[in-house]
Amino acid sequence: MPHPTILNTPDTPHRLSIEQLVQDLQTDPRSGLSADEARRRYEQLGPNALQETRREGWPTILLRQFTGIIVYILAAAAVLSFFLGDTVEGFAIIAVLLINAITGFILEWNASQSMDALRKLDTTPARVLRDGRVREVSSEDITLGDVLVVEAGDVVAADASLFDVNQLEVDESALTGESLPVAKDTQIPPPDAPLGDQLNRLFKGTAVTAGNGRALVTGIGQKTELGKIATMVEEAERSATPLEAKLDALAKVLIWVTVGLAALFLVVGLIRKEEPVQLIETALALSIAAIPEGMSVVATIALAYGMLRLAENKVIVKRLSAVETLGGTNVIFTDKTGTLTQNRIEVDTLQLPGGKVGITVDAPAGKLTLVDGEAGLLESETFDKLVQVGILCNNADYDLADGEAREVGDPVEVSLLKFALGAGRNPEEIIRQFPRRAEKAFSSDTRIMATLHERDGRYLVAVKGAAEEVLDRCTSVDEAERKTYSDISEKMATDGLRTLAFAYREADTRPGDNFADGDLTYLGLIGFLDPPRTEVTPALQSCREAGIKVIMVTGDHPATALTIASKVKLIEPGEEIVLTGKDLKPIDQLSEAERERLRACRVFARVSPAQKLDMIDLYQQNGDIVGMTGDGVNDAPALKKSDIGIAMGLRGTQVAAETADMVLKDDSFASIVVAIAQGRVIFENIRKFVLFLLSCNLSEIFVVTFAGFLNVGNPLLPLQILFINIVTDVFPALALGVGRENRGLMKDPPRDPKTPLLDTRDWRRVVFYALVITAAVLGVYFIGTRRLGLTQDEGNNLTFYALSFAQLLHVFNLYSTQGRPSVRRFFANEITRNRFIWYALLVCVVILVLTYYVPFLRDVLAIRPMTTVELELIALAGLLPVVVVQIVKRLAPGL
């Protein structure tokens, strides 16, 4: 064979004949490549493996914890503290940075790389034709032009075009999302056929479930469909989550506040010709007061606590910020197979000559439940014979020994055995009563399967197959009836059901070799469907009430997708619109009218992985927060591209699980609704503790600034401010962050993703709360220094404890007002019911007591002994802001 100079992967191999491929790939389908030629091509084209990407090592993850605007400001404050000789203050700031970094590092360390999982699909052995003989080689050694030999049980090692098929069926669900195994043939499909309709092709990573075949390898490694998906996974960008973006935006606001106040304070001080070192120390105090040091720590712990609660509900969160992101999700793209459905084939509809019956099957319980139709049909002789034929014309096995179901064989044939058990029949007993004497296997030519059985000297022929083929062999059916039954079969297929027709014949003498070719009695049709999950419908209703739009995006057949969407009530009557991959243009080519048409559609079928990315991008460009569920290899790029990727843990591929942000251990869509509710709780908690921290920190700024402008001294030392920020602020904020209150959150529409973490009304509250606390604290400071004659150090002492106590009690102002506030609401709300609030207050009070009695803490914070009058002033400063805020809330409920 001549040595090929250049070999390229065909762009559209499904459109090329085998003769053309043989010529292009310079190979021989009868003998395959020679060993020498295969080695040369291996050297030229490389191994049949996915490209390796670098793992994100622990140093990278650790360094990422030290990035962010707040981190940079705190680091600068620590450096300045050391420069000014305040080493205790510098070390305290560093401790805050380390606590946050260690917490974030531990929680992110177990994040996995999707490319590793893709590579694990790459290590199976394969059989190829080399030098005219079938040889087993490593999948990496397969090259273009090899003749791939496959049979039931094999995992396809490369993309290939079939030229020899013998009852070959392949499970492509991981790649296309289609539930049923696909029957392969050698016919060239239409040029624009999607992957699911390219029946003449084999794809890397799919599984052969029946039959055998041979195919020419047309794509290896990164050039396979699996490789293309791997490339998309690698290249898909994951932008910052909404929470990360909102916290960054808030940090930028705080930077400008800090810089502005510090600069103003310095300018005023220099004009007054004050001591520069003292001015710098006060400016540093302002900087420390402006930045809520505990915000990132509390946010991290609040999200981590949410992760633990979700784990209790079988939701594993791999990416910390994904907890909050899911709470803001307003669009969910969901796969069909395994997410909305049970990913198994069941008998759904019976079309007997006497009428139609809809049923559900419970094989373990031996029960059939009538969904619609006449119950009498299930007691007819025709029904009994249909069950019997379904058992006998069958090569599958289904065993319920020890309560564990064991399924072997074609999923449709397994479902027939389960159907028989549900009808109260014992398949094993019937098979013993009617021993098999002959079989006509299903083929693409006859499109039927037939078996011959004997009992007590009489013979029974059992037949199943395509409706038109079975009807042609039924002599008792006239032309009009044949047309009617054919139309019914087509209608069932249009409704998304896979249909099989059944017939039989009884004879006193053994029929000849062509025992299935005629004189059959027609029994009816059975429609098979991957049944919906029972919990999906109420979960979708919850999404609808919460203002969340759910869209099905699947690689399955359009009719099947529409049927499932209707059954689970994803769409309402009148919304029966389904768009396929053929209807989708690249996103940059869409007009505004076409974009609106896409956004109006709720069901998309025969969609490729690249088109899923485009659909997600379309909604993200519109400002939506997009969640994506999936379980197959084909879903991996979209899972990564979406704001929140949700993988199925039971039936999902490892690729999908490792690419996603969260994994559902029970594969239940209902668990997504639980996670969304938890995400909304987390966001509300974060908003509350940010309100708390900012109002407390702003009160510190006001205390220092107003005192400086009034030239009455510095009522707070920088280290006292830092202590308040990392102790008496953080513990109540943390308690707010782990609250469980979620009443009514799933009845409201999702928040606008474009709105900031705090809106205008929230900022008004922050300023109002801070002014009230400031007024109370400076009030007692003035009383202490001007009326009681306290020294500057004693005034610092009074202000420190007064501000600490006022901020601790301020937590009771943060309850949600449902309707007009009332006295009863103040004493019974999510704050007072949160046991962590009480724990936090107790801890903080103990710490404050320790600062007074422990010599080391007393010296570091410059604490002086206090009189009873000072303690009374501290209590007044703590209680007064709460009273004032509650009065104003009743007078102005909108505040």
Side-chain angles (χ1 to χ4, degrees):
M1 183 179 296
H3 174 46
T5 54
I6 296 178
L7 277 179
N8 293 315
T9 302
D11 291 332
T12 54
H14 69 282
R15 301 170 60 177
L16 303 178
S17 66
I18 289 299
E19 292 76 17
Q20 184 64 49
L21 287 172
V22 166
Q23 180 179 343
D24 293 346
L25 298 175
Q26 302 179 38
T27 186
D28 185 345
R30 294 165 298 181
S31 60
L33 299 174
S34 67
D36 290 341
E37 178 62 23
R39 184 170 57 255
R40 282 195 293 268
R41 295 190 182 194
Y42 180 91
E43 293 171 355
Q44 176 191 353
L45 302 171
N48 175 34
L50 301 178
Q51 293 178 1
E52 188 170 352
T53 57
R54 288 180 56 188
R55 283 186 63 92
E56 189 175 46
W58 66 265
T60 304
I61 297 175
L62 183 61
L63 287 174
R64 187 167 59 243
Q65 310 310 313
F66 293 98
T67 60
I69 296 173
I70 291 181
V71 173
Y72 299 149
I73 294 176
L74 289 177
V79 171
L80 187 57
S81 297
F82 286 122
F83 178 76
L84 295 174
D86 296 327
T87 55
V88 175
E89 187 176 302
F91 282 122
I93 297 174
I94 290 174
V96 173
L97 294 174
L98 289 176
I99 291 171
N100 183 61
I102 292 170
T103 305
F105 173 77
I106 292 173
L107 291 168
E108 285 194 24
W109 172 241
N110 62 353
S112 302
Q113 298 299 301
S114 59
M115 292 302 296
D116 286 345
L118 284 166
R119 208 169 295 112
K120 289 178 182 178
L121 295 178
D122 235 14
T123 58
T124 54
R127 282 168 294 117
V128 295
L129 203 58
R130 296 269 175 88
D131 295 314
R133 300 181 64 181
V134 176
R135 296 182 180 178
E136 186 172 285
V137 299
S138 167
S139 61
E140 292 191 356
D141 292 336
I142 292 175
T143 190
L144 284 186
D146 259 326
V147 175
L148 193 63
V149 180
V150 296
E151 63 182 21
D154 288 348
V155 174
V156 179
D159 285 6
S161 290
L162 288 158
F163 64 86
D164 184 14
V165 170
N166 183 21
Q167 302 176 35
L168 182 65
E169 294 187 358
V170 181
D171 179 2
E172 297 180 342
S173 59
L175 194 63
T176 67
E178 187 153 2
S179 307
L180 290 165
V182 179
K184 294 293 184 176
D185 58 40
T186 59
Q187 301 299 313
I188 297 177
D192 58 351
L195 289 183
D197 292 336
Q198 294 178 19
L199 304 183
N200 64 332
R201 300 274 293 149
L202 294 177
F203 301 108
K204 183 178 177 68
T206 59
V208 180
T209 59
N212 56 69
R214 296 190 177 194
L216 285 180
V217 173
T218 60
I220 61 172
Q222 223 64 18
K223 298 292 187 179
T224 61
E225 294 298 328
L226 182 65
K228 294 174 185 176
I229 293 173
T231 301
M232 284 190 283
V233 172
E234 184 179 353
E235 294 176 351
E237 295 182 359
R238 199 198 306 261
S239 56
T241 67
L243 177 61
E244 293 166 340
K246 286 178 171 64
L247 289 177
D248 282 346
L250 181 60
K252 291 175 182 177
V253 172
L254 295 177
I255 285 177
W256 288 112
V257 170
T258 304
V259 171
L261 287 173
L264 180 61
F265 194 87
L266 282 172
V267 169
V268 173
L270 291 173
I271 292 174
R272 291 177 176 176
K273 298 182 179 180
E274 296 180 10
E275 177 64 33
V277 174
Q278 181 65 35
L279 286 175
I280 293 175
E281 289 181 349
T282 306
L284 177 61
L286 281 173
S287 300
I288 294 173
I291 302 300
E293 287 83 0
M295 187 167 69
S296 56
V297 176
V298 175
T300 299
I301 294 176
L303 292 172
Y305 187 69
M307 289 174 64
L308 296 177
R309 276 187 277 178
L310 285 173
E312 295 172 0
N313 290 285
K314 302 185 183 301
V315 179
I316 305 301
V317 179
K318 297 167 50 187
R319 193 171 176 225
L320 195 60
S321 54
V323 181
E324 184 275 335
T325 305
L326 192 59
T329 300
N330 58 350
V331 175
I332 295 179
F333 285 99
T334 177
D335 191 22
K336 175 187 69 66
T337 306
T339 308
L340 303 181
T341 70
Q342 300 175 29
N343 196 23
R344 67 171 188 262
I345 303 303
E346 298 284 1
V347 173
D348 179 83
T349 303
L350 308 178
Q351 185 67 55
L352 305 177
K356 176 183 176 182
V357 179
I359 60 172
T360 59
V361 178
D362 187 349
K367 179 182 178 182
L368 291 183
T369 302
L370 184 70
V371 176
D372 59 64
E374 298 180 16
L377 292 173
L378 300 181
E379 301 173 359
S380 65
E381 183 179 345
T382 301
F383 175 78
D384 289 339
K385 188 63 70 175
L386 177 67
V387 173
Q388 185 184 73
V389 170
I391 294 171
L392 297 175
C393 190
N394 197 314
N395 287 323
D397 185 32
Y398 180 76
D399 186 13
L400 279 173
D402 301 325
E404 293 290 330
R406 185 178 64 89
E407 301 179 4
V408 179
D410 182 85
V412 170
E413 293 191 336
V414 170
S415 71
L416 287 172
L417 298 180
K418 292 160 72 175
F419 166 60
L421 287 169
R425 311 303 193 271
N426 186 334
E428 293 183 359
E429 182 179 337
I430 292 176
I431 290 170
R432 281 196 301 269
Q433 292 174 356
F434 292 86
R436 184 179 298 186
R437 301 305 183 205
E439 175 186 346
K440 292 286 186 181
F442 179 88
S443 71
S444 56
D445 295 329
T446 63
R447 298 174 65 203
I448 66 166
M449 174 184 175
T451 54
L452 178 64
H453 305 265
E454 180 183 2
R455 183 185 184 187
D456 300 331
R458 288 179 55 81
Y459 292 89
L460 172 67
V461 176
V463 178
K464 73 172 188 286
E468 56 271 27
E469 300 295 340
V470 172
L471 286 167
D472 284 344
R473 292 166 171 79
C474 294
T475 53
S476 60
V477 178
D478 60 31
E479 196 61 39
E481 290 175 321
R482 185 175 289 110
K483 177 69 166 60
T484 299
Y485 294 145
S486 294
D487 291 345
I488 290 173
S489 176
E490 291 180 8
K491 176 64 169 60
M492 291 172 69
T494 302
D495 291 339
L497 300 174
R498 177 173 178 176
T499 60
L500 284 178
F502 294 78
Y504 78 102
R505 175 160 67 98
E506 294 178 328
D508 294 328
T509 59
R510 176 168 179 149
D513 292 340
N514 298 324
F515 56 84
D517 284 352
D519 200 23
L520 301 178
T521 300
Y522 180 70
L523 290 171
L525 293 162
I526 293 182
F528 302 86
L529 188 70
D530 183 1
R533 299 175 70 106
T534 55
E535 72 276 12
V536 165
T537 300
L540 288 172
Q541 178 60 29
S542 297
C543 287
R544 195 172 291 110
E545 292 174 353
I548 300 168
K549 184 177 183 179
V550 181
I551 302 167
M552 180 194 293
V553 183
T554 179
D556 210 341
H557 193 279
T560 306
L562 201 57
T563 297
I564 294 298
S566 298
K567 283 181 175 288
V568 299
K569 293 184 170 51
L570 186 148
I571 56 176
E572 300 292 339
E575 293 183 341
E576 293 86 356
I577 300 172
V578 58
L579 296 178
T580 67
K582 296 178 182 178
D583 302 317
L584 304 180
K585 296 180 183 178
I587 190 170
D588 55 355
Q589 299 178 15
L590 293 173
S591 65
E592 190 56 39
E594 290 171 325
R595 288 171 180 259
E596 287 300 324
R597 177 171 175 256
L598 292 180
R599 283 195 284 263
C601 184
R602 305 290 291 275
V603 181
F604 294 86
R606 285 290 190 253
V607 177
S608 70
Q611 289 170 328
K612 290 183 181 181
L613 288 178
D614 278 350
M615 291 296 298
I616 292 172
D617 198 22
L618 174 68
Y619 277 88
Q620 287 178 331
Q621 288 182 14
N622 194 49
D624 296 298
I625 297 179
V626 180
M628 168 73 192
T629 74
D631 58 359
V633 176
N634 62 319
D635 296 317
L639 289 171
K640 185 176 181 182
K641 169 67 176 173
S642 61
D643 296 298
I644 175 74
I646 310 160
M648 304 297 114
L650 287 178
R651 293 186 174 91
T653 60
Q654 189 176 6
V655 179
E658 296 199 9
T659 305
D661 301 298
M662 59 194 345
V663 180
L664 306 182
K665 292 176 66 177
D666 58 358
D667 285 12
S668 173
F669 189 88
S671 295
I672 300 175
V673 178
V674 172
I676 290 174
Q678 184 59 52
R680 292 190 176 189
V681 170
I682 290 294
F683 183 84
E684 180 64 17
N685 289 343
I686 289 175
R687 194 185 67 84
K688 282 181 181 177
F689 79 65
V690 170
L691 270 173
F692 174 78
L693 287 176
L694 290 184
S695 53
C696 289
N697 284 38
L698 192 58
S699 69
E700 297 162 15
I701 294 173
F702 287 166
V703 167
V704 175
T705 305
F706 292 169
F709 289 157
L710 295 174
N711 200 23
V712 294
N714 189 1
L716 282 173
L717 300 175
L719 200 56
Q720 290 175 334
I721 295 175
L722 184 62
F723 182 87
I724 292 174
N725 281 0
I726 64 178
V727 178
T728 57
D729 281 3
V730 166
F731 285 105
L734 182 57
L736 287 172
V738 297
R740 290 176 176 265
E741 186 75 10
N742 62 353
R743 295 179 182 176
L745 286 177
M746 287 300 286
K747 301 295 182 182
D748 297 329
R751 63 186 181 275
D752 187 346
K754 298 176 184 177
T755 59
L757 185 64
L758 301 182
D759 58 22
T760 303
R761 180 182 176 186
D762 290 329
W763 281 110
R764 286 201 303 266
R765 288 174 175 171
V766 167
V767 174
F768 170 68
Y769 294 156
L771 287 173
V772 172
I773 294 172
T774 301
V777 172
L778 284 181
V780 299
Y781 175 75
F782 276 109
I783 292 173
T785 56
R786 299 298 172 90
R787 296 291 179 89
L788 301 180
L790 299 180
T791 65
Q792 179 65 48
D793 289 343
E794 290 171 336
N796 288 144
N797 195 73
L798 178 62
T799 307
F800 170 69
Y801 284 111
L803 184 59
S804 297
F805 191 47
Q807 290 185 357
L808 289 179
L809 295 186
H810 174 52
V811 72
F812 293 108
N813 291 324
L814 273 296
Y815 64 87
S816 301
T817 55
Q818 296 176 351
R820 186 176 178 83
S822 64
V823 175
R824 182 172 176 272
R825 180 67 181 150
F826 174 74
F827 290 102
N829 54 62
E830 72 273 18
I831 303 295
T832 56
R833 286 194 294 265
N834 184 348
R835 69 180 188 277
F836 296 109
I837 292 290
W838 298 103
Y839 296 157
L841 294 179
L842 178 61
V843 168
C844 288
V845 169
V846 170
I847 291 175
L848 288 173
V849 171
L850 291 176
T851 62
Y852 189 80
Y853 288 105
V854 175
F856 170 75
L857 293 176
R858 191 168 59 235
D859 292 342
V860 168
L861 295 172
I863 301 300
R864 301 290 182 268
M866 291 185 295
T867 64
T868 304
V869 174
E870 290 175 71
L871 293 176
E872 291 173 350
L873 288 175
I874 290 170
L876 177 65
L879 292 171
L880 191 60
V882 177
V883 174
V884 172
V885 168
Q886 295 308 310
I887 292 174
V888 173
K889 276 189 173 183
R890 281 152 183 77
L891 296 176
L895 184 64

Short mmCIF file of all heavy atoms in Angstrom, two decimals, residues 741-766:
data_model
loop_
_atom_site.label_atom_id
_atom_site.label_comp_id
_atom_site.label_asym_id
_atom_site.label_seq_id
_atom_site.Cartn_x
_atom_site.Cartn_y
_atom_site.Cartn_z
N GLU A 741 -34.34 31.11 57.92
CA GLU A 741 -35.64 31.67 57.54
C GLU A 741 -35.81 31.69 56.03
O GLU A 741 -34.95 32.17 55.30
CB GLU A 741 -35.75 33.10 58.09
CG GLU A 741 -37.11 33.73 57.87
CD GLU A 741 -38.16 33.19 58.83
OE1 GLU A 741 -37.79 32.46 59.76
OE2 GLU A 741 -39.34 33.49 58.63
N ASN A 742 -36.92 31.14 55.53
CA ASN A 742 -37.15 31.14 54.08
C ASN A 742 -38.63 31.25 53.73
O ASN A 742 -39.05 30.85 52.66
CB ASN A 742 -36.56 29.88 53.43
CG ASN A 742 -37.20 28.60 53.94
OD1 ASN A 742 -38.00 28.63 54.87
ND2 ASN A 742 -36.84 27.48 53.34
N ARG A 743 -39.42 31.75 54.64
CA ARG A 743 -40.85 31.83 54.39
C ARG A 743 -41.16 32.75 53.21
O ARG A 743 -40.75 33.89 53.17
CB ARG A 743 -41.57 32.35 55.64
CG ARG A 743 -41.48 31.41 56.84
CD ARG A 743 -42.19 32.00 58.04
NE ARG A 743 -42.07 31.13 59.20
CZ ARG A 743 -42.55 31.43 60.41
NH1 ARG A 743 -43.19 32.58 60.58
NH2 ARG A 743 -42.39 30.60 61.41
N GLY A 744 -41.88 32.21 52.27
CA GLY A 744 -42.34 33.02 51.16
C GLY A 744 -41.32 33.34 50.09
O GLY A 744 -41.67 33.94 49.08
N LEU A 745 -40.06 32.93 50.29
CA LEU A 745 -39.04 33.30 49.31
C LEU A 745 -39.31 32.66 47.95
O LEU A 745 -38.99 33.24 46.91
CB LEU A 745 -37.65 32.89 49.81
CG LEU A 745 -37.06 33.75 50.93
CD1 LEU A 745 -35.72 33.20 51.38
CD2 LEU A 745 -36.91 35.19 50.48
N MET A 746 -39.86 31.45 47.94
CA MET A 746 -40.13 30.77 46.67
C MET A 746 -41.47 31.18 46.06
O MET A 746 -41.87 30.64 45.04
CB MET A 746 -40.09 29.26 46.86
CG MET A 746 -38.69 28.70 47.05
SD MET A 746 -37.59 29.03 45.64
CE MET A 746 -38.25 27.87 44.44
N LYS A 747 -42.14 32.11 46.68
CA LYS A 747 -43.36 32.66 46.10
C LYS A 747 -43.09 33.96 45.35
O LYS A 747 -43.95 34.47 44.65
CB LYS A 747 -44.41 32.92 47.19
CG LYS A 747 -44.82 31.68 47.98
CD LYS A 747 -45.52 30.66 47.11
CE LYS A 747 -45.95 29.45 47.95
NZ LYS A 747 -46.60 28.40 47.11
N ASP A 748 -41.89 34.49 45.53
CA ASP A 748 -41.52 35.74 44.88
C ASP A 748 -40.74 35.46 43.60
O ASP A 748 -40.07 34.43 43.49
CB ASP A 748 -40.65 36.59 45.82
CG ASP A 748 -41.40 36.99 47.08
OD1 ASP A 748 -42.63 37.16 46.99
OD2 ASP A 748 -40.75 37.13 48.14
N PRO A 749 -40.80 36.38 42.65
CA PRO A 749 -39.99 36.20 41.44
C PRO A 749 -38.51 36.36 41.78
O PRO A 749 -38.16 36.97 42.80
CB PRO A 749 -40.46 37.34 40.52
CG PRO A 749 -41.04 38.36 41.44
CD PRO A 749 -41.62 37.60 42.59
N PRO A 750 -37.62 35.80 40.95
CA PRO A 750 -36.19 35.96 41.23
C PRO A 750 -35.80 37.44 41.16
O PRO A 750 -36.38 38.21 40.40
CB PRO A 750 -35.50 35.14 40.14
CG PRO A 750 -36.54 34.77 39.16
CD PRO A 750 -37.88 35.05 39.74
N ARG A 751 -34.83 37.79 41.97
CA ARG A 751 -34.36 39.17 41.93
C ARG A 751 -33.71 39.46 40.58
O ARG A 751 -33.17 38.56 39.95
CB ARG A 751 -33.38 39.44 43.07
CG ARG A 751 -32.13 38.60 42.96
CD ARG A 751 -31.23 38.77 44.18
NE ARG A 751 -30.02 37.97 44.04
CZ ARG A 751 -29.94 36.70 44.36
NH1 ARG A 751 -30.99 36.07 44.86
NH2 ARG A 751 -28.82 36.04 44.19
N ASP A 752 -33.76 40.71 40.18
CA ASP A 752 -33.13 41.12 38.94
C ASP A 752 -31.62 40.95 39.07
O ASP A 752 -31.00 41.55 39.96
CB ASP A 752 -33.47 42.58 38.65
CG ASP A 752 -32.99 43.03 37.28
OD1 ASP A 752 -32.17 42.30 36.67
OD2 ASP A 752 -33.42 44.10 36.83
N PRO A 753 -31.01 40.10 38.22
CA PRO A 753 -29.56 39.88 38.34
C PRO A 753 -28.73 41.14 38.11
O PRO A 753 -27.56 41.19 38.49
CB PRO A 753 -29.27 38.83 37.25
CG PRO A 753 -30.42 38.92 36.30
CD PRO A 753 -31.60 39.32 37.12
N LYS A 754 -29.33 42.17 37.50
CA LYS A 754 -28.59 43.40 37.23
C LYS A 754 -28.54 44.31 38.46
O LYS A 754 -27.75 45.25 38.49
CB LYS A 754 -29.23 44.14 36.06
CG LYS A 754 -29.22 43.36 34.75
CD LYS A 754 -29.95 44.10 33.65
CE LYS A 754 -30.01 43.27 32.37
NZ LYS A 754 -30.79 43.94 31.30
N THR A 755 -29.40 44.05 39.44
CA THR A 755 -29.41 44.92 40.61
C THR A 755 -28.22 44.60 41.51
O THR A 755 -27.78 43.46 41.60
CB THR A 755 -30.71 44.73 41.42
OG1 THR A 755 -30.81 43.35 41.83
CG2 THR A 755 -31.91 45.10 40.59
N PRO A 756 -27.68 45.62 42.19
CA PRO A 756 -26.53 45.38 43.07
C PRO A 756 -26.94 44.64 44.33
O PRO A 756 -28.13 44.40 44.58
CB PRO A 756 -26.04 46.79 43.39
CG PRO A 756 -27.25 47.65 43.25
CD PRO A 756 -28.07 47.03 42.15
N LEU A 757 -25.95 44.26 45.11
CA LEU A 757 -26.23 43.55 46.36
C LEU A 757 -27.12 44.38 47.27
O LEU A 757 -28.05 43.86 47.89
CB LEU A 757 -24.90 43.21 47.06
CG LEU A 757 -24.98 42.35 48.32
CD1 LEU A 757 -25.53 40.97 47.99
CD2 LEU A 757 -23.61 42.23 48.97
N LEU A 758 -26.85 45.66 47.35
CA LEU A 758 -27.67 46.58 48.14
C LEU A 758 -28.27 47.62 47.21
O LEU A 758 -27.55 48.26 46.44
CB LEU A 758 -26.82 47.28 49.21
CG LEU A 758 -26.11 46.40 50.24
CD1 LEU A 758 -25.36 47.27 51.24
CD2 LEU A 758 -27.07 45.47 50.95
N ASP A 759 -29.59 47.78 47.27
CA ASP A 759 -30.23 48.79 46.43
C ASP A 759 -30.29 50.13 47.16
O ASP A 759 -29.79 50.28 48.28
CB ASP A 759 -31.62 48.32 46.00
CG ASP A 759 -32.53 48.01 47.19
OD1 ASP A 759 -32.26 48.53 48.30
OD2 ASP A 759 -33.51 47.26 47.01
N THR A 760 -30.93 51.11 46.54
CA THR A 760 -30.98 52.45 47.10
C THR A 760 -31.64 52.46 48.48
O THR A 760 -31.18 53.15 49.41
CB THR A 760 -31.76 53.39 46.15
OG1 THR A 760 -31.13 53.36 44.86
CG2 THR A 760 -31.76 54.82 46.68
N ARG A 761 -32.72 51.69 48.61
CA ARG A 761 -33.41 51.62 49.90
C ARG A 761 -32.50 51.05 50.97
O ARG A 761 -32.49 51.53 52.12
CB ARG A 761 -34.67 50.76 49.74
CG ARG A 761 -35.48 50.62 51.01
CD ARG A 761 -36.67 49.72 50.77
NE ARG A 761 -37.41 49.49 52.00
CZ ARG A 761 -38.44 48.63 52.10
NH1 ARG A 761 -38.82 47.96 51.02
NH2 ARG A 761 -39.05 48.46 53.23
N ASP A 762 -31.70 50.04 50.62
CA ASP A 762 -30.77 49.45 51.58
C ASP A 762 -29.71 50.45 52.02
O ASP A 762 -29.34 50.52 53.20
CB ASP A 762 -30.10 48.21 50.97
CG ASP A 762 -31.06 47.05 50.80
OD1 ASP A 762 -31.99 46.93 51.62
OD2 ASP A 762 -30.87 46.26 49.85
N TRP A 763 -29.19 51.25 51.06
CA TRP A 763 -28.18 52.24 51.43
C TRP A 763 -28.76 53.31 52.35
O TRP A 763 -28.08 53.81 53.25
CB TRP A 763 -27.60 52.88 50.17
CG TRP A 763 -26.56 52.01 49.50
CD1 TRP A 763 -26.67 51.36 48.32
CD2 TRP A 763 -25.25 51.71 50.00
NE1 TRP A 763 -25.52 50.65 48.04
CE2 TRP A 763 -24.62 50.86 49.05
CE3 TRP A 763 -24.55 52.08 51.14
CZ2 TRP A 763 -23.34 50.38 49.23
CZ3 TRP A 763 -23.26 51.59 51.33
CH2 TRP A 763 -22.66 50.75 50.38
N ARG A 764 -30.02 53.68 52.12
CA ARG A 764 -30.68 54.62 53.04
C ARG A 764 -30.72 54.06 54.45
O ARG A 764 -30.50 54.77 55.43
CB ARG A 764 -32.10 54.95 52.56
CG ARG A 764 -32.15 55.87 51.35
CD ARG A 764 -33.52 56.55 51.25
NE ARG A 764 -34.62 55.59 51.18
CZ ARG A 764 -35.15 55.16 50.04
NH1 ARG A 764 -34.68 55.61 48.87
NH2 ARG A 764 -36.16 54.31 50.06
N ARG A 765 -31.03 52.76 54.52
CA ARG A 765 -31.06 52.11 55.83
C ARG A 765 -29.68 52.12 56.49
O ARG A 765 -29.55 52.39 57.69
CB ARG A 765 -31.53 50.65 55.69
CG ARG A 765 -33.00 50.51 55.36
CD ARG A 765 -33.32 49.04 55.10
NE ARG A 765 -34.74 48.82 54.89
CZ ARG A 765 -35.25 47.66 54.48
NH1 ARG A 765 -34.45 46.65 54.24
NH2 ARG A 765 -36.54 47.54 54.32
N VAL A 766 -28.65 51.80 55.69
CA VAL A 766 -27.29 51.76 56.23
C VAL A 766 -26.94 53.12 56.84
O VAL A 766 -26.44 53.20 57.98
CB VAL A 766 -26.27 51.39 55.13
CG1 VAL A 766 -24.84 51.66 55.59
CG2 VAL A 766 -26.42 49.92 54.75
#
